[in-house]
Amino acid sequence: MRDFTFYNPTRVEFGQGKENKIGAYMAEYGVKKVLLVYGSERIKKDGLYDKVIQSLGEQRIEYVTLGGIKSNPVISKAREGVALAKENGIDAVLAVGGGSVLDTAKVIAAGAVYDGDVWDLCSYRKMPDSALKLFDILTLSATGSEMNSSAVITNEETTEKFGFSSPVAFPTVSVINPELQATVSPNYLAYSSVDILSHCMDLYFTASYIPEFTANHIENIIKTVIRTTDTLRAQPENYEARSEFAWAAAQALNRSTFAGVEGNRYDSHLIEHSLSALYDVPHGAGLAVVYPAWTRWHMSANQARYKQFARNIFGLETAEAGIEALTNWFTHIGAPITLEQIQVGSEQIEEIADHIYSTMEMARMQTMYSKDILVELLHQMK
Amino acid sequence: MRDFTFYNPTRVEFGQGKENKIGAYMAEYGVKKVLLVYGSERIKKDGLYDKVIQSLGEQRIEYVTLGGIKSNPVISKAREGVALAKENGIDAVLAVGGGSVLDTAKVIAAGAVYDGDVWDLCSYRKMPDSALKLFDILTLSATGSEMNSSAVITNEETTEKFGFSSPVAFPTVSVINPELQATVSPNYLAYSSVDILSHCMDLYFTASYIPEFTANHIENIIKTVIRTTDTLRAQPENYEARSEFAWAAAQALNRSTFAGVEGNRYDSHLIEHSLSALYDVPHGAGLAVVYPAWTRWHMSANQARYKQFARNIFGLETAEAGIEALTNWFTHIGAPITLEQIQVGSEQIEEIADHIYSTMEMARMQTMYSKDILVELLHQMK
């Protein structure tokens, strides 16, 4: 194994009804006044909002709210949250929602203790060195944000989609009650599956070295996501499948898949972030479009690994057959696999390539792809 | 999955040469004066002691030492450490050694901030509610203590082998450099393997329910330990095998194997602790003696799981064949499989059964085995 650091202090409270204890969990850490961040008003209709407010009330924790976080979250909302936190003397942030709500809450938690503009912390100008304590109740398992220290957010003025990764941004307690995800739509189930798989596959395909133990761990996550997604398409109420899906999603990006690995990159995410930043495509849908073309292009760089993928995930013999099976499975679950399916035309390819390239420059990764290769790759996604 | 809490804040610094940074790691947490706990004087001969002292010196961290911790560590040594810590105004404990040194250090770290006798904390009278920060440099991967919150120690006056598990006892930073384990003797490699396997197998065989994802994870640890032990017997210097072995050992008892599991127990450990407490047998050797008889006795209670074990670990068809293969593998790696091989005679069986039974009473688990069944089981280990 190559040298590594493993550190993940997030306490995961997993299971039915645990959202009712959120106030008690926060009280354990001395929280007095919280900023409650959420997405749509749906949580008021389905009763989750009331449960949270009641649980806070039981512990006499005061709260201020910030609703309306959308997918592909934007920095203007985070700025709003930072202002609220500063004005109200907030001592913790509680995210109730999926990855977008959580990432916004992470940015707010870091911004609330930072003197400058919070976008500094997301654009590689300044790394967060402290943050308010963050708690969350997860309503959609996909991004893995519930068990890691990263946040990604879009600056809608510049269309930059950046973020940070810092040990101060780990959630203190993440509540994962799989029941809360039983009403996720088939489309969002598909996008979430693709996102989780891509967290595993980007690493699996790009790493120059993966220890056998870690490769098996990654394959276990991939197989669990495929198996449980198939079950959940037929039986959305299947708690067993829902819970394994949720736990696999958290494992996929909690750094357990990095143990002893060398040379991994996040290519599909790099490319996709431009699609969602420019056209507000759901992140998982964008990834499903990127994957078939990107893997076919990348395959020759790591033939043995793609063969291992074909064999261990789909029981097939060749690298090509593995990618074909994956592509077919995306279609089977209703994920798009072409730019056309997400309403992006050929005439936009130059713009996308430029956007990816400038993102790479910003993150000092511009040696990864030339602009010509990006254009060629994007044409293969048509 | 059944409801669970996952929490493991230990930062693992894994890799070559990381022991040289121990002072820097401690300085990050503001440590000024440390109690350095170790086992035999061998660490002075092989240069590890000097490296540690130099690394502490670079950060101007003062130290007091406590050497001579033996396998099956004893409470008198921990009391000595507690006294040293209190007299010298120590603010952290650094363990350099294997599981025995680490467990002693955990007990000292908790005892140093407790007013009464430290044995209170180990004998279910009082749970530790705080502790000094604990750091370690691991020299033998086996017990998993480097990534969990448990400690086990023997009161040599009463021959009670008890301990505690408390969130305050997680190591802050664990340094695992697999190179430091390259000189472990073939016997201790075997005992360590059996210990790690038993951490997985006790849970795997006794749990009434294990989610598929978690079962795969446990099987991955078991297969990794068997594969790397076989490699290391032939090539003790094989870094790749040594590192996967070490990481699997940490995973085996860091609670990742408990995710969503129901109804597990630690039967083989319960029985073995009496062997090592009474006769100072190496823990792993005692476990190897317990396992063949205990599994044959227990098999009918969980036939499907034993079949799964046979199939997924050894590629065999029946539960019996799986246990036979495991027993043969113990013999193959040089682990004892009978009481006779560890110099315990039939005439001692009553004494052992009494000891196990009184341990169960102390921990309020006396419904698990009647004394008659224990005697019968022990006779099958002859």
Side-chain angles (χ1 to χ4, degrees), chain B residues 290-302:
Chain B
V290 170
Y291 243 84
W294 177 76
T295 47
R296 279 193 299 268
W297 173 81
H298 180 261
M299 203 184 294
S300 61
N302 202 355

Side-chain angles (χ1 to χ4, degrees), chain B residues 255-282:
Chain B
R255 296 199 71 86
S256 60
T257 60
F258 289 70
V261 166
E262 185 169 80
N264 57 294
R265 304 185 317 231
Y266 274 83
D267 292 30
S268 77
H269 275 67
L270 173 79
I271 298 170
E272 195 293 316
H273 281 171
S274 291
L275 294 178
S276 46
L278 289 169
Y279 313 115
D280 204 21
V281 181

Side-chain angles (χ1 to χ4, degrees), chain A residues 21-279:
Chain A
K21 299 182 187 161
I22 188 66
Y25 300 141
M26 298 181 81
E28 284 182 50
Y29 298 87
V31 174
K32 303 284 183 210
K33 192 168 187 184
V34 69
L35 178 67
L36 168 56
V37 182
Y38 62 96
S40 82
E41 298 297 310
R42 192 171 62 88
I43 65 164
K44 292 193 176 165
K45 289 189 202 119
D46 65 18
L48 178 56
Y49 184 88
D50 287 344
K51 285 183 193 174
V52 170
I53 298 305
Q54 187 183 333
S55 183
L56 296 177
E58 283 164 7
Q59 305 293 331
R60 295 182 194 157
I61 296 171
E62 292 181 77
Y63 64 93
V64 174
T65 64
L66 175 69
I69 312 299
K70 297 214 166 65
S71 330
N72 296 320
V74 289
I75 195 69
S76 58
K77 266 294 186 187
R79 286 189 181 120
E80 211 181 308
V82 169
L84 277 173
K86 287 180 174 175
E87 284 158 22
N88 291 280
I90 293 298
D91 57 14
V93 181
L94 169 60
V96 180
S100 300
V101 175
L102 242 150
D103 281 12
T104 304
K106 283 182 181 178
V107 173
I108 295 171
V113 296
Y114 174 65
D115 279 341
D117 174 18
V118 65
W119 181 247
D120 295 351
L121 304 176
C122 303
S123 52
Y124 315 107
R125 286 179 188 90
K126 170 93 179 71
M127 283 304 289
D129 49 20
S130 72
L132 295 183
K133 277 197 171 16
L134 174 69
F135 299 78
D136 64 89
I137 297 172
L138 192 68
T139 60
L140 182 72
S141 287
T143 68
S145 196
E146 65 276 20
M147 210 177 167
N148 70 39
S149 58
S150 302
V152 177
I153 201 159
T154 297
N155 184 328
E156 64 270 53
E157 289 162 26
T158 63
T159 75
E160 291 164 317
K161 187 167 184 174
F162 293 154
F164 59 75
S165 188
S166 161
V168 303
F170 280 106
T172 299
V173 178
S174 283
V175 170
I176 306 177
N177 173 2
E179 280 185 326
L180 299 178
Q181 307 190 24
T183 53
V184 166
S185 73
N187 277 350
Y188 265 84
L189 172 64
Y191 305 155
S192 304
S193 290
V194 175
D195 193 17
I196 303 164
L197 291 176
S198 75
H199 295 153
C200 294
M201 294 189 304
D202 269 25
L203 183 153
Y204 189 81
F205 290 139
T206 61
S208 54
Y209 168 80
I210 308 181
E212 191 169 330
F213 178 85
T214 306
N216 290 339
H217 177 57
I218 297 170
E219 290 168 8
N220 187 20
I221 300 171
I222 294 174
K223 286 187 282 189
T224 301
V225 170
I226 292 177
R227 168 172 59 82
T228 55
T229 300
D230 283 336
T231 302
L232 290 171
R233 280 169 47 78
Q235 307 162 26
E237 304 280 340
N238 187 311
Y239 182 82
E240 187 53 31
R242 190 69 71 181
S243 57
E244 287 203 78
F245 181 92
W247 184 233
Q251 294 291 313
L253 214 52
N254 73 351
R255 297 200 72 85
S256 60
T257 60
F258 289 70
V261 167
E262 185 170 78
N264 57 294
R265 304 185 317 232
Y266 273 83
D267 291 31
S268 76
H269 275 67
L270 173 78
I271 298 170
E272 195 294 314
H273 281 170
S274 291
L275 295 177
S276 45
L278 288 169
Y279 313 115

Side-chain angles (χ1 to χ4, degrees), chain B residues 271 293 297 339 346 348-357 360 369-382:
Chain B
I271 298 170
W297 173 81
L339 289 172
S346 317
Q348 288 156 307
I349 282 176
E350 282 291 331
E351 177 186 40
I352 305 167
D354 282 345
H355 193 273
I356 299 167
Y357 198 78
M360 288 194 298
Y369 292 91
S370 71
K371 217 178 284 181
D372 288 350
I373 285 176
L374 288 171
V375 169
E376 192 190 314
L377 248 174
L378 287 159
H379 272 285
Q380 284 166 21
M381 296 175 199
K382 286 194 291 193

Side-chain angles (χ1 to χ4, degrees), chain B residues 176-208:
Chain B
I176 306 177
N177 173 1
E179 280 185 325
L180 299 178
Q181 307 190 24
T183 53
V184 166
S185 72
N187 276 351
Y188 265 84
L189 172 65
Y191 304 155
S192 303
S193 291
V194 175
D195 193 17
I196 304 163
L197 291 176
S198 75
H199 295 152
C200 294
M201 295 188 304
D202 269 25
L203 183 154
Y204 189 82
F205 291 139
T206 61
S208 55

Side-chain angles (χ1 to χ4, degrees), chain B residues 55-105:
Chain B
S55 182
L56 296 177
E58 284 164 5
Q59 305 293 331
R60 295 183 193 158
I61 296 171
E62 292 181 76
Y63 63 93
V64 174
T65 65
L66 175 70
I69 311 300
K70 297 214 166 65
S71 333
N72 296 319
V74 290
I75 194 68
S76 58
K77 267 292 187 188
R79 286 191 182 119
E80 210 181 308
V82 168
L84 277 173
K86 288 181 175 175
E87 284 157 20
N88 291 281
I90 293 298
D91 57 13
V93 181
L94 169 60
V96 180
S100 301
V101 175
L102 242 149
D103 281 11
T104 305

